[in-house]
Amino acid sequence: ALCPQELRSGSFWRGVLAEAVATFIFVGVVLGASAAPGPLAPALAGGLVAGALACTLGGPQANPALTLALLCTRKMGALRGTAGLLAQCAGAVLAAATARLALLDDTGLVTRVSAAGTAGQALAWETFATFQLALTAFATANRVAPQGELALGSAVAAGALAAGPFSGGSMNPARSLGPAIVTGIWDDHWVSQRRPRVPPRDPNVGMG
């Protein structure tokens, strides 16, 4: 249910700001690494920054797929979820705009279905990669230990490496949406715009 009194809470706005900042940093790091050839650099960069942000910013999702999963499992209120989604998208667009100014061309900005398979295969791999990320995030949510952040970062890297040859391994609709808005390139954009099914667990999950 909507709770307008949340808007007067400092913790509410700190959470929203954390989502925007975390998504800005995550997307910016991944886009910068994507300028290198092959999927290894963005996969490693994404995994490392996901683990770092989970340690430093209190576990923001920085990923609309995970936020939608929390909303569907009723682990997050509608107002908090909506504000988080808007913050994530804003952070991703700002990161993409900044990266576009710094990069020589738009090649590394947009995730596309590659020649390694069909759009259907890309969707299957992207769904699998996002599911394993969400499963890891939910499973490690209650563990206040470095292993949780390590597992989360590893899931991001592993998913990007597995799905990268087929779909780019985004696993994050904001990471795909930001560059698409900035560049105007929407080729096969629907591949990254779906919601994973995850078990109902604690809402303090993040990244990807």
Side-chain angles (χ1 to χ4, degrees), residues 10-37:
S11 62
F12 175 88
W13 291 110
R14 284 193 296 271
V16 172
L17 180 61
E19 291 293 344
V21 172
T23 309
F24 173 79
I25 295 173
F26 178 80
V27 174
V29 167
V30 173
L31 291 180
S34 296

Side-chain angles (χ1 to χ4, degrees), residues 73-144:
T73 55
R74 299 184 180 180
K75 295 295 184 180
M76 178 179 288
L79 185 59
R80 175 67 179 83
T82 301
L85 289 171
L86 292 175
Q88 290 161 1
C89 292
V93 171
L94 183 59
T98 303
R100 194 182 193 193
L101 293 175
L103 297 175
L104 296 177
D105 56 46
D106 298 337
T107 301
L109 288 181
V110 181
T111 53
R112 295 186 178 90
V113 172
S114 74
T118 65
Q121 290 172 322
L123 178 62
W125 277 103
E126 189 73 14
T127 301
F128 169 75
T130 307
F131 174 80
Q132 64 85 32
L133 170 62
L135 184 65
T136 302
F138 273 64
T140 59
N142 293 325
R143 301 178 184 178
V144 186

Side-chain angles (χ1 to χ4, degrees), residues 116-205:
T118 65
Q121 290 172 322
L123 178 62
W125 277 103
E126 189 73 14
T127 301
F128 169 75
T130 307
F131 174 80
Q132 64 85 32
L133 170 62
L135 184 65
T136 302
F138 273 64
T140 59
N142 293 325
R143 301 178 184 178
V144 186
Q147 291 83 353
E149 285 74 21
L150 177 61
L152 184 63
S154 298
V156 172
L161 287 171
F166 301 92
S167 65
S170 173
M171 299 177 290
N172 188 328
R175 181 261 179 269
S176 299
L177 179 65
I181 290 176
V182 170
T183 64
I185 300 173
W186 298 87
D187 297 351
D188 297 309
H189 182 73
W190 60 272
V191 169
S192 294
Q193 310 307 308
R194 73 279 168 276
R195 181 176 65 250
R197 295 182 179 180
V198 295
R201 292 294 297 276
D202 191 276
N204 298 317
V205 300

